[in-house]
Amino acid sequence: MKAVQFEGHGGTEVIDYAEFPDPEPARNEVLIDVKAGALNHLDVWTRRGLPGLSLDMPHIPGSDGAGEVVDVGEDVTRFEPGDRVALSAGVSCGKCEFCRHGQHSMCVKYHVIGEHVRGIHSELATMPEDNLLPVPDGVSWETAAAAPLVFQTAWRMLLTRGDVRPGEKVLVLGASGGVGHAAVQVADYAGATVYATGSSEEKLDHARELGADYAINYEDDDFVEQIRELTGKRGVDVVVDHVGAATWQDSLKSLAKGGRILTCGATTGGRPETDINRIFWNQLSVIGSTMASHGEADDALELVWDGTFEPKIRDVLPMSETARAHEMLENRDGFGKVVVKPDSEL
C-alpha cells in the first residue's frame, strides 16, 4: 500500500507518500480500506516534533479518517467486512479510575492515534475495534473523516467541562479552524449567544452561517473592545481559546465576573503570560479539556450524521499532496477542515 509518512521531524519537506507494508489486523483490530482522512493541528505538531514525544519511524500521521471494513481480528464482535466506519482517535486503558467512571479522555494512559502511534492516512489501516464508530449510509466519506476529532472535542469542552447553558454568552476564538467551527455550532446548539472571531469577512460569513450571532474581524478590530461594546461592558460568560499565548491575556479581559475560559490546545504556544490578579479578583475559572469519552463522542457524532452539525471542508487533496495540506493549516488558509484521500480513490 501507499501511506503518508515521515522518517524524522521537521518542515513539510519531511512528508512523503510512498510504499509501506500492508498491515494485518491483530485479534482486537479492524482492517480498513481508507476512503478519506482529515488533518488537525496535532498533525503539524507531530511532524515538527513535540517535547518528550518518541515515535516509531517511519511514522504514519492521521487522527481522523473513515473507510470500509475489509477484515477483522478474531476477537472483534462489533464490525464485519463491508461496514462503514470512522476513527475516534483517543485510546484509553479501560481499567483506571477515570475509565471506570466513563472519563476515558482523562485516562492515566491516554494517547492519541496518529499523534503517539501510527495513524490512518494511508490506503489501508488497522485500528482497535473500540476506536471505531459506525457511519450511516448516506454520510459522505469526507464528512465522516472530517467530523470525529473536532466535534467530540468541542462537545466535551463546551457541554461537559464548560457546562454552557441557554442564554449564556460564548466567545469562540479562531472560529475558522477545525475545533473553532465545531465550537460555534455546539455553543449555538446549547442555546448560547455566540461571538466568533476570524481574520477575514469570508471566514466570518461562514461563522454566521454556522450559528454565530456576532462576528469580529480581529485583523481590523480589537476583539476585547468589541466584546465590551457588544455586551454593554459586561463581558462574556465563556471564552473558547485554543489559540494560546497570542490571545490568552485578551481572553481573560473578555470575561465577565465569574466567567470561564476553556482550552483544548495552544496553536501559538502553551506558555502565555497570565494575569493572576484578574483571575482571582474576577473569580474566573480556567478549564482544560481533551477529546471526549466514548459516550460524548457518540452523542456529538449522531448530530453530525443527522445533519444538525456540519463539518465544513475547505479543500480535498490527494494524500500525495499532504505537505500542501499542512501548509494550509500553518498559513490559516480557508475555513474548516482539510481532507486528504488516497490517490487511488481520486
Side-chain angles (χ1 to χ4, degrees):
M1 71 168 185
K2 283 197 170 182
V4 178
Q5 55 193 285
F6 52 82
E7 293 274 3
H9 299 295
T12 56
E13 73 280 354
V14 304
I15 300 171
D16 193 13
Y17 185 61
E19 291 295 328
F20 197 90
D22 288 0
E24 294 185 7
R27 298 177 65 96
N28 67 333
E29 289 184 334
V30 172
L31 176 65
I32 304 165
D33 178 9
V34 178
K35 303 297 185 181
L39 271 74
N40 298 281
H41 270 282
L42 63 82
D43 293 301
V44 174
W45 301 329
T46 302
R47 183 253 299 162
R48 291 176 179 171
L50 290 166
L53 180 64
S54 178
L55 298 174
D56 290 333
M57 296 293 185
H59 179 70
I60 298 174
S63 302
D64 266 331
E68 185 175 304
V69 175
V70 176
D71 194 9
V72 300
E74 55 192 285
D75 291 344
V76 172
T77 60
R78 294 174 53 227
F79 300 103
E80 59 185 27
D83 286 349
R84 292 160 52 89
V85 295
L87 175 65
S88 180
V91 181
S92 55
C93 72
K95 301 175 182 178
C96 70
E97 60 176 303
F98 300 105
C99 289
R100 290 198 303 271
H101 292 90
Q103 300 295 324
H104 304 96
S105 65
M106 297 177 70
C107 172
V108 295
K109 296 183 178 180
Y110 194 76
H111 61 279
V112 179
I113 293 169
E115 181 179 5
H116 303 98
V117 296
R118 284 175 181 159
I120 197 171
H121 289 176
S122 52
E123 291 181 318
L124 297 169
T126 52
M127 294 294 153
E129 176 185 28
D130 289 345
N131 287 96
L132 296 176
L133 303 165
V135 177
D137 292 337
V139 175
S140 73
W141 291 123
E142 292 83 359
T143 294
L149 191 145
V150 295
F151 277 94
Q152 66 175 283
T153 296
W155 183 272
R156 176 175 176 79
M157 179 169 51
L158 285 155
L159 301 187
T160 303
R161 299 286 291 146
D163 192 26
V164 171
R165 298 178 292 276
E168 289 195 305
K169 301 179 189 300
V170 176
L171 169 61
V172 179
L173 303 186
S176 65
V179 170
H181 93 295
V184 167
Q185 295 178 68
V186 174
D188 179 57
Y189 176 80
T193 300
V194 183
Y195 304 76
T197 71
S199 61
S200 71
E201 288 308 312
E202 180 182 6
K203 292 178 179 179
L204 296 179
D205 285 342
H206 283 303
R208 293 185 188 98
E209 291 172 7
L210 295 178
D213 299 284
Y214 301 94
I216 301 166
N217 188 327
Y218 65 78
E219 295 284 2
D220 297 336
D221 298 302
D222 182 326
F223 74 79
V224 177
E225 293 181 1
Q226 289 294 304
I227 289 297
R228 286 179 57 81
E229 181 177 332
L230 291 169
T231 62
K233 299 183 179 181
R234 174 185 179 275
V236 296
D237 301 289
V238 175
V239 175
V240 175
D241 187 336
H242 53 92
V243 180
T247 55
W248 191 256
Q249 290 282 55
D250 286 340
S251 292
L252 294 174
K253 293 176 184 177
S254 299
L255 286 168
K257 281 190 175 272
R260 292 102 73 197
I261 184 168
L262 310 179
T263 177
C264 65
T267 56
T268 63
R271 297 181 180 275
E273 291 187 8
T274 196
D275 188 344
I276 294 176
N277 291 341
R278 182 181 295 275
I279 291 172
F280 71 69
W281 188 252
N282 287 345
Q283 301 189 52
L284 307 178
S285 298
V286 177
I287 302 172
S289 187
T290 297
M291 303 285 279
S293 70
H294 298 325
E296 290 162 339
D298 289 339
D299 290 344
L301 270 296
E302 282 299 321
L303 292 170
V304 174
W305 307 151
D306 73 11
T308 301
F309 296 150
E310 178 186 2
K312 286 286 189 178
I313 296 170
R314 68 180 84 174
D315 209 344
V316 179
L317 300 174
M319 284 188 179
S320 59
E321 296 184 22
T322 296
R324 184 157 73 91
H326 276 238
E327 290 169 358
M328 292 177 70
L329 265 64
E330 290 176 307
N331 297 333
R332 297 178 296 157
D333 294 338
F335 188 98
K337 296 292 291 285
V338 179
V339 169
V340 290
K341 302 184 76 171
D343 288 40
S344 57
E345 291 291 330
L346 294 171

